[in-house]
Amino acid sequence: MLVDVQLRRNQVWQRLTEQWAQTSGQGDAAGDPPDGFVVSNLINVRYLTGFCGSNGVLLLTADTATLGTDSRYVTQAGQECPDLQMLIQRATLPAVVEEAAKQGVRRLAFESATVTFAEHAALQAIDGAPGLVPVAGVVEALRVTKDDDEIAQIRAACRISDAALSALLPQIHPGLSERQIARRLEWQLYEHGADGLSFETIVAAGENAAIPHHVPSERRLRAGDLLKIDFGAEYRGYHADETRTFVVGAPPASWQRELHSLVLTAQAAGRDAARPGAALKDVDEASRSVITTAGHGDHFGHGLGHGVGLEIHEAPMISHGSTGLLSEGATITIEPGVYLPGRGGIRIEDTLLVSDGAAEPLTLTTRNLLVLD
C-alpha cells in the first residue's frame, strides 16, 4: 500500500523532537537536538515510506525525506514511493550520511539498535560527517497505534488464518505427524491468500504440547493427545497470530477439560482487561492471577502477549515486568498457557484490536475444546 510519506515524516520528526526534549543532555555533553535522522531498520523504513526492498536507508530532516537504496531497486522504489527523492548507491548507509552532510545536517540521529559498532566507527570516519547521535524506539513508538489501512491488512491476515485452520481441521486424525499437519496448514494459508507465514508454524502433540515453542517433528498423533497449533498468515507485510488447542481421536480426559477451562477463563480475563489506558502489567496480571490462583503459576512462564503488525513481535510487550499503557488502535495478542512437563499443555491465543471499550478479537475460530477425529 502507498504510504503518506509527508504525514509520517512529520509524525516521526515530532516524536524525535519530543523524545529529545525529555532526555536532553543525557549521555551527550552538547545537548543540541539533532537536525537529521537516518532510519536504517528496514521495517521502520517500510513503515515510513512503503519501500519493501532488502536495502533501504531513509534520511529525514524537518523538511525533506531521501531514500537511499541500490540499482536493484530503482524500479521498485519508484513504484512503491514515487514522491521520494532517491539516492542510488550500493554502500547505502555511508552514502546517506554523506548526503546528510551535503544537506547541511550538523547532528544526525541514528537508530542505535540497528547500526553496528563497526558501522558506527566507519560512519564517524567519513570526512565532514555530521555528529552522530544515538536514539532508540522513535519509529517503533509510532508503529504501536495502527491506522485504518494497517488494521485492514491485519484483519485480512486474521481472516486468512481462520479460513486456513478451518480447512485443515477435517483432515486431522491419529497417525498424522506434527510435521505433516504443519505443512498442510501452511499450504492452506497460501491457498487462502497469504503472502507468507508470520513465523514457523508450531504443531505440538501429546507431551510436546508442554513445550511452548516446540518445533514440529515426526511424532505421530495418538488418540487422546492434546494438539496445540500456533500459526499465522502474513498479508501485505502485516501479520496474524493465533493459537488453538484440540483433543485428537477421543473424548477429552477430565484433566484436559479442566486445564482448557482454566486457560480459557484466563484468556477471557486478559481480553477484558485489554482496554485503552490500561497498564500493560495489569493486563498481564488479570490473566496470570487466574492461573496462579488455580495453582499453576509455575506452569505459565512466558509473557501474556505482544504487539502485532509489520513484525510478529513488536511493541507493546505485555508481561509482569512491562511498563507503559495500552493505546487505542494497538493490535496485540493475549495468549496465556499452562504447560505440564511430560503430559501436555494448552495455549489459547487471539490477535486483538484495542478499541474504545472491550478489545475486538480479529481471530475468530472457536476457542472451545474441539475433538478432532
Side-chain angles (χ1 to χ4, degrees), residues 101-161:
K102 291 176 184 177
Q103 292 187 18
V105 172
R106 296 176 298 105
R107 286 171 58 76
L108 183 63
F110 69 94
E111 295 183 301
S112 59
T114 305
V115 175
T116 68
F117 184 86
E119 287 172 333
H120 182 264
L123 296 177
Q124 283 188 311
I126 294 174
D127 187 33
L132 298 176
V133 180
V135 297
V138 174
V139 184
E140 288 84 351
L142 294 175
R143 285 168 43 197
V144 168
T145 302
K146 273 59 176 181
D147 63 26
D148 290 344
D149 286 340
E150 292 181 288
I151 292 170
Q153 310 313 325
I154 295 169
R155 283 187 189 278
C158 291
R159 284 196 300 269
I160 291 167
S161 301

Side-chain angles (χ1 to χ4, degrees), residues 39-64:
V39 180
S40 53
N41 178 315
L42 282 171
I43 298 295
N44 290 342
V45 171
R46 179 170 184 166
Y47 174 77
L48 295 172
T49 69
F51 177 65
C52 301
S54 66
N55 180 20
V57 180
L58 181 65
L59 171 63
L60 297 176
T61 70
D63 304 310
T64 64

